[in-house]
Amino acid sequence: MRLKKRAAFAALPPGFKSTFLDALTPPEVRALLRVARSVRISLHEVLQHEGEPARRLWLLGTGRVAVYRLRRDGNKLFLRWGAPGDAFGFATIVRAPARYLVTIETVQEGSILVWDSADCQALISRCPNLTKAVNWAVSRYLDGLIDVFGMCQFQTAEERLARVVVDSAGQLGHSSPEGIVVDLKNEEIALAAHMSLFTATRHLSKWQRTGLLKKYRGKIVLPSLSPFETITSDT
Amino acid sequence: MRLKKRAAFAALPPGFKSTFLDALTPPEVRALLRVARSVRISLHEVLQHEGEPARRLWLLGTGRVAVYRLRRDGNKLFLRWGAPGDAFGFATIVRAPARYLVTIETVQEGSILVWDSADCQALISRCPNLTKAVNWAVSRYLDGLIDVFGMCQFQTAEERLARVVVDSAGQLGHSSPEGIVVDLKNEEIALAAHMSLFTATRHLSKWQRTGLLKKYRGKIVLPSLSPFETITSDT
DNA sequence: CGGATTCTTGACGAGAATCAAGAGTTGTGG
DNA sequence: CCACAACTCTTGATTCTCGTCAAGAATCCG
């Protein structure tokens, strides 16, 4: 992880969208960006490890991360993807001397903006909305987690998969002439849908035969989302 | 739900334990109790309903509640029990004009202490640790939820059941000459372990035959927890 | 003594994980 | 430019866990 100069706000792309920053006023955003460090992140890098002291709040600028929890038996419990604009390391702010609750790993190289705990303490007094923004983000996170949990308890593999396809398209997909392109391997889709690679492959193949989507190595293309939303909602 | 006089602190039993209140200083606790309303709660009463505006923070004094989320398909996703000393309605504080994320229902009659949003706002400025206590509680809640989620994903019905038995014993059990008594029906145990009533009954019966526990109508008695901890950990 | 809960047990089947074996892609080095 | 290795995807056969349904036993209560 290489450090870069401060004054990272120049690094924010023009069309950059962040639900987290949107909860702040423009002056507050500027105050944050002024003290942010921009850091390049490479593939398969662990950006925070559960149990370690929470030393920094950070925002994903470009790339993609996976949020999960490690279990004593070695399994990884996938929790969510992180896309550009998502913030992490809330423990740094929410409960001062704390430890990370989850592990976060890069699955696509990119860059992040970092604020260490000292910066955060200083910013809290200057930006009254900062704690509010963090609380909101935590709430949304909790809400989403409960939802995923419910999905895993009450929906079949096919329904879960359909939902993951829809959600991923919204969060990670980009448009193209043939439809929405989502850069995910079968293995990653299976992980997010909490099922085996084989079950995921079977249903995806079936949907390809039905013409609902097209599969390529490492990505899928969706002409339309509506059929999947149908699978998700009925039953 | 009948209202009672303020100055409810007299209502706190002598041996009352609350992780939530423990995060506050004694003067802060007194400040809270001074403005608390004590409210009697009856069986099967819905104390807060997900989606409704979060208007009050409250603390369970006596009795037991179930925290769950309702799904559009009518299913209930059980999340946790609430025992005396547990606080709820954090949304009231964490993100000012907010809605409850979960539904909470009484499963044993008892009493709660209530602070409505106006009280909360006033208390926040007087008790600097209040928001901190709420944040801690939310974190613990999130942490526990992730754990339960992982348990449901990676452990068999028997392992989940063993863990629910151990956890319930710690949270709701009370000692007796023959062991720890846990007042739960098979149906409630099954709910907490996220499995069908029948699967739960089968394993509990098996454990009774093996002598690991004794079953009665509406309760189980555990001479020792260690065998269940073994089931939980190995594999 | 009904009647309502709560618990028990067996038979059955659906869903999904595992295993095995191979086909299709992509990238690399000679 | 070809050959080979590594990775990704596919499909079928098999197994197993657990939910569903049915029927009845045990317990509690007015």
Side-chain angles (χ1 to χ4, degrees):
Chain A
M1 221 187 305
R2 243 174 42 240
L3 302 190
K4 263 193 176 175
K5 64 174 184 301
R6 295 220 165 193
F9 48 91
L12 277 194
F16 192 76
K17 264 286 157 206
S18 168
T19 325
F20 178 69
L21 293 182
D22 286 351
L24 305 173
T25 65
E28 287 175 330
V29 173
R30 280 195 295 276
L32 248 75
L33 294 182
R34 208 170 301 129
V35 297
R37 258 176 28 239
S38 179
V39 178
R40 198 119 264 295
I41 52 174
S42 51
L43 202 59
H44 296 134
E45 184 176 342
V46 173
L47 298 173
Q48 66 178 50
H49 193 283
E50 59 194 276
E52 285 183 358
R55 266 194 269 273
R56 56 184 215 178
L57 175 74
W58 53 277
L59 183 79
L60 187 59
T62 58
R64 180 155 81 233
V65 298
V67 181
Y68 57 85
R69 169 161 292 193
L70 289 166
R71 290 170 49 83
R72 278 160 299 288
D73 57 28
N75 277 114
K76 286 181 182 181
L77 176 69
F78 176 88
L79 297 173
R80 54 166 297 191
W81 299 118
D86 290 338
F88 304 95
F90 298 131
T92 312
I93 287 203
V94 156
R95 37 176 204 167
R99 290 167 183 279
Y100 294 122
L101 289 181
V102 295
T103 300
I104 305 187
E105 189 180 322
T106 321
V107 293
Q108 257 182 26
E109 56 180 21
S111 64
I112 60 178
L113 294 182
V114 178
W115 299 270
D116 58 38
S117 8
D119 291 335
C120 289
Q121 293 315 315
L123 284 166
I124 286 175
S125 45
R126 207 167 323 149
C127 305
N129 289 318
L130 183 55
T131 51
K132 205 180 296 178
V134 170
N135 284 339
W136 266 94
V138 171
S139 297
R140 258 182 289 117
Y141 183 34
L142 181 59
D143 192 41
L145 183 64
I146 297 176
D147 235 49
V148 171
F149 185 19
M151 169 180 97
C152 290
Q153 285 299 308
F154 296 114
Q155 311 207 175
T156 65
E158 183 170 17
E159 291 166 337
R160 295 202 302 275
L161 196 63
R163 175 166 158 179
V164 166
V165 165
V166 172
D167 289 356
S168 304
Q171 205 190 353
L172 316 170
H174 50 98
S175 296
S176 91
E178 299 125 64
I180 304 170
V181 180
V182 185
D183 293 297
L184 287 175
K185 300 189 253 190
N186 283 4
E187 192 181 349
E188 294 171 318
I189 297 176
L191 190 74
H194 297 278
M195 68 187 59
S196 77
L197 165 62
F198 308 99
T199 306
T201 299
R202 271 182 244 279
H203 285 107
L204 288 172
S205 301
K206 189 184 64 185
W207 288 337
Q208 179 167 43
R209 282 195 293 276
T210 330
L212 299 189
L213 55 75
K214 290 190 145 198
K215 304 178 79 284
Y216 300 93
R217 193 173 233 233
K219 70 180 174 192
I220 57 178
V221 181
L222 314 157
S224 161
L225 292 182
S226 36
F228 300 101
E229 285 160 352
T230 308
I231 295 175
T232 305
S233 54
D234 54 39
T235 300
Chain B
M1 218 187 305
R2 243 173 42 239
L3 301 190
K4 262 194 177 175
K5 65 175 183 298
R6 297 220 164 194
F9 48 90
L12 277 194
F16 192 76
K17 264 286 155 207
S18 168
T19 324
F20 179 68
L21 293 182
D22 286 351
L24 305 173
T25 65
E28 286 174 331
V29 173
R30 281 193 294 275
L32 249 76
L33 295 182
R34 207 170 302 129
V35 297
R37 257 177 28 240
S38 178
V39 177
R40 197 121 265 296
I41 52 174
S42 51
L43 202 58
H44 297 133
E45 185 175 341
V46 173
L47 298 173
Q48 66 178 50
H49 192 283
E50 59 195 277
E52 285 183 358
R55 267 193 267 273
R56 56 185 214 178
L57 175 75
W58 53 279
L59 182 79
L60 187 60
T62 58
R64 181 155 82 234
V65 298
V67 181
Y68 57 86
R69 169 162 291 194
L70 288 166
R71 289 170 50 82
R72 278 160 300 286
D73 57 28
N75 277 116
K76 287 181 181 180
L77 176 70
F78 176 88
L79 297 172
R80 53 166 298 191
W81 300 118
D86 289 340
F88 304 95
F90 298 131
T92 312
I93 286 203
V94 156
R95 38 177 203 168
R99 291 167 181 278
Y100 294 122
L101 289 181
V102 294
T103 300
I104 305 186
E105 190 181 322
T106 321
V107 292
Q108 260 182 24
E109 56 180 20
S111 64
I112 60 177
L113 294 181
V114 179
W115 299 269
D116 57 39
S117 8
D119 291 335
C120 289
Q121 294 314 317
L123 283 167
I124 285 173
S125 46
R126 207 167 321 149
C127 306
N129 289 318
L130 183 55
T131 50
K132 204 180 296 177
V134 169
N135 284 339
W136 266 95
V138 171
S139 296
R140 258 183 289 119
Y141 183 33
L142 181 59
D143 192 40
L145 183 64
I146 297 176
D147 234 50
V148 171
F149 185 20
M151 168 179 96
C152 290
Q153 286 298 308
F154 296 114
Q155 310 205 179
T156 65
E158 183 170 17
E159 291 166 336
R160 295 202 302 277
L161 196 63
R163 175 166 157 180
V164 166
V165 165
V166 172
D167 288 356
S168 304
Q171 205 190 351
L172 316 169
H174 49 99
S175 296
S176 90
E178 299 125 65
I180 304 171
V181 180
V182 186
D183 292 298
L184 286 175
K185 301 189 252 190
N186 282 4
E187 192 181 348
E188 294 173 318
I189 297 175
L191 189 75
H194 297 277
M195 68 188 59
S196 77
L197 167 61
F198 308 97
T199 306
T201 299
R202 271 182 244 279
H203 285 107
L204 289 172
S205 300
K206 190 184 63 185
W207 288 337
Q208 178 167 42
R209 282 195 293 276
T210 329
L212 299 189
L213 55 76
K214 288 191 145 196
K215 305 178 78 282
Y216 301 93
R217 196 174 229 234
K219 69 181 176 193
I220 56 178
V221 180
L222 313 157
S224 162
L225 292 183
S226 37
F228 301 101
E229 285 160 351
T230 307
I231 295 174
T232 304
S233 55
D234 53 39
T235 301

Coordinates of all heavy atoms in Angstrom, one line a residue, chain A residues 34 52 169:
Chain A
R34 N -9.8 17.5 2.3 CA -8.5 18.3 2.5 C -7.5 17.4 3.3 O -6.3 17.5 3.1 CB -8.8 19.6 3.2 CG -7.8 20.7 2.9 CD -8.3 22.0 3.5 NE -9.6 22.4 2.9 CZ -10.6 22.8 3.6 NH1 -10.5 22.8 5.0 NH2 -11.8 23.1 3.1
E52 N -8.8 -6.6 14.6 CA -7.7 -5.6 14.8 C -8.3 -4.3 15.2 O -9.4 -3.9 14.9 CB -6.9 -5.5 13.5 CG -6.1 -6.7 13.3 CD -5.2 -6.6 12.0 OE1 -5.3 -5.6 11.3 OE2 -4.4 -7.5 11.8
A169 N -26.4 -6.1 -10.5 CA -26.5 -5.3 -11.7 C -26.6 -3.8 -11.3 O -26.0 -2.9 -11.8 CB -27.7 -5.7 -12.5

